[in-house]
Amino acid sequence: MQFKLGEFVRFVDENIEGYITRIIDKDTVGVTDSNDFEIPVLASKVTLVHDEIPESDIVSNRPAVVIPEAQFIKDGVYLGLITDQHSTSVAHFHLVNESSFQLLASLTTEKGDHYKGEFAAIIPAHSTKKIYSAQLGDIQIWPKFKLEILFHTPANVEPKAPIVYHERIKGKDLSVAKEDIALLKQKGWLIRLDAAEALIDAEKLKESFFKAR
């Protein structure tokens, strides 16, 4: 069974429980117990505790609510990065959708010449979805994100141009102070994905040109 960072597991042969805080290799994981001690263990020697389901992984089958055009929020799509509530050494990446659009998102990671499809799903309006997890201390070797997002709505609103985010997150991106992420109910780092392009005032540009001369 392939485990993910942040999952709650129990040892098969010992009375030990904890959270997966490191993927060491394809056969071995690191489990941090209640004493904050990380234990390397074969993945075959632990089992997932199924009643510990992260809230962000619960799928809702409720139909999308059509929002009146006057109340429609067109902007506010972010990549939110927070630390795990049980282990600050684990970072979780979330798509944070503050807009009224539904988002169709796909994430592929690139490391060297290797590509891996990590996530593909619909993110409803005003919601979040976890798309990736990594060891915070390994930021220097995090893969490049190839993230693409489409906008959709049943409302009478023109959809926005797709977002294409092909970037490698670096330490400087996390050098700013954490901020409150309301939809995640936690402090973290936010990277704006749908930032509007600066509008150029042609008259002011012309005036500044002549002044410079």
Side-chain angles (χ1 to χ4, degrees), residues 5-207:
L5 289 172
E7 288 184 323
F8 189 66
V9 296
R10 179 178 296 126
F11 283 51
V12 174
D13 300 325
E14 300 179 66
N15 186 24
I16 299 175
E17 295 178 335
Y19 292 88
I20 301 236
T21 51
R22 186 179 299 274
I23 306 297
I24 297 172
D25 55 39
K26 65 183 182 67
D27 297 317
T28 314
V29 296
V31 177
T32 297
D33 62 13
S34 57
N35 297 316
D36 288 332
F37 183 72
E38 188 176 79
I39 307 167
V41 60
L42 289 173
S44 60
K45 295 296 184 181
V46 295
T47 182
L48 185 65
V49 179
H50 292 283
D51 57 354
E52 288 281 334
I53 301 175
E55 185 177 335
S56 59
D57 289 344
I58 297 175
V59 178
S60 172
N61 293 318
R62 290 177 296 178
V65 178
V66 178
I67 301 170
E69 186 176 348
Q71 303 173 19
F72 199 94
I73 300 172
K74 296 182 179 180
D75 301 313
V77 180
Y78 302 85
L79 185 61
L81 175 58
I82 61 174
T83 54
D84 190 274
Q85 294 180 350
H86 305 285
S87 174
T88 55
S89 67
V90 175
H92 297 301
F93 294 82
H94 293 254
L95 267 180
V96 179
N97 181 18
E98 295 181 351
S99 79
S100 299
F101 286 106
Q102 298 172 42
L103 307 180
L104 176 59
S106 171
L107 171 66
T108 298
T109 53
E110 174 189 347
K111 198 169 186 179
D113 294 326
H114 299 281
Y115 297 87
K116 183 182 178 184
E118 303 282 358
F119 173 88
I122 294 173
I123 296 90
H126 311 296
S127 69
T128 70
K129 184 74 72 171
K130 184 171 71 176
I131 63 173
Y132 188 72
S133 297
Q135 270 282 326
L136 192 56
D138 293 340
I139 188 170
Q140 298 300 327
I141 58 173
W142 280 356
K144 182 178 181 179
F145 276 18
K146 301 179 80 69
L147 177 63
E148 282 113 29
I149 301 171
L150 295 175
F151 292 84
H152 172 79
T153 177
N156 182 24
V157 176
E158 181 182 5
K160 298 175 67 171
I163 292 173
V164 178
Y165 179 83
H166 291 182
E167 299 288 343
R168 190 184 306 277
I169 296 174
K170 303 179 178 66
K172 65 178 182 180
D173 297 315
L174 310 185
S175 62
V176 296
K178 291 182 180 181
E179 54 187 297
D180 287 314
I181 306 176
L183 288 175
L184 291 173
K185 300 177 181 178
Q186 190 174 337
K187 284 184 176 290
W189 296 276
L190 280 176
I191 298 173
R192 183 76 180 265
L193 298 178
D194 65 341
E197 294 183 6
L199 297 177
I200 298 175
D201 188 317
E203 287 301 319
K204 288 185 178 180
L205 183 63
K206 184 168 67 174
E207 289 175 8

